[in-house]
Amino acid sequence: MKTSERINLVADRIQAVLDAHPQPGSNVQAMAELRAAAAQLGAKDPFSSGKLVELMERAQVFYGRQSLFRLPGSAQRLYAVMHGELLDMLRMRARVIASQDD
């Protein structure tokens, strides 16, 4: 499988998990599904791997135990960054790699 296809597959799988679990709070199932998706990517593309690490860091906060220090609106911002910004960057990277005939 080409790297661009693998990135798109992982991004689609992550989006499905985020869409299925849009609420913050302790969610072991969502984290397990995200880890499984991340494992599919591998380490062939450092940029994509880095964005995936950022996404997983945010997911650990979002799907972790409720923090007393969480500010109002921070969960929505975390979700927006994961679901929007980071997934978009992964998909853009897949397009760039595909255009270079990976």
Side-chain angles (χ1 to χ4, degrees):
M1 178 182 288
K2 293 183 176 184
T3 302
S4 60
E5 293 170 345
R6 187 182 328 269
I7 292 169
N8 279 321
L9 181 70
V10 168
D12 290 344
R13 192 166 171 195
I14 289 170
Q15 182 173 355
V17 173
L18 295 176
D19 288 345
H21 305 281
Q23 298 302 317
S26 183
N27 192 329
V28 176
Q29 178 188 355
M31 283 306 301
E33 292 174 22
L34 289 173
R35 283 187 195 97
Q40 283 185 312
L41 182 62
K44 292 189 179 210
D45 180 49
F47 178 85
S48 298
S49 295
K51 293 304 169 191
L52 194 54
V53 167
E54 287 181 46
L55 191 144
M56 293 302 291
E57 288 172 346
R58 285 173 171 81
Q60 286 177 335
V61 173
F62 190 80
Y63 293 122
R65 292 178 46 209
Q66 289 291 341
S67 170
L68 296 176
F69 303 105
R70 191 175 284 172
L71 298 174
S74 63
Q76 291 84 1
R77 284 190 299 278
L78 275 174
Y79 187 81
V81 169
M82 290 186 300
H83 194 273
E85 181 181 323
L86 292 170
L87 280 179
D88 286 348
M89 289 181 152
L90 284 173
R91 289 193 171 106
M92 283 189 288
R93 180 63 177 169
R95 286 192 297 273
V96 168
I97 291 172
S99 73
Q100 298 170 346
D101 294 323
D102 72 312

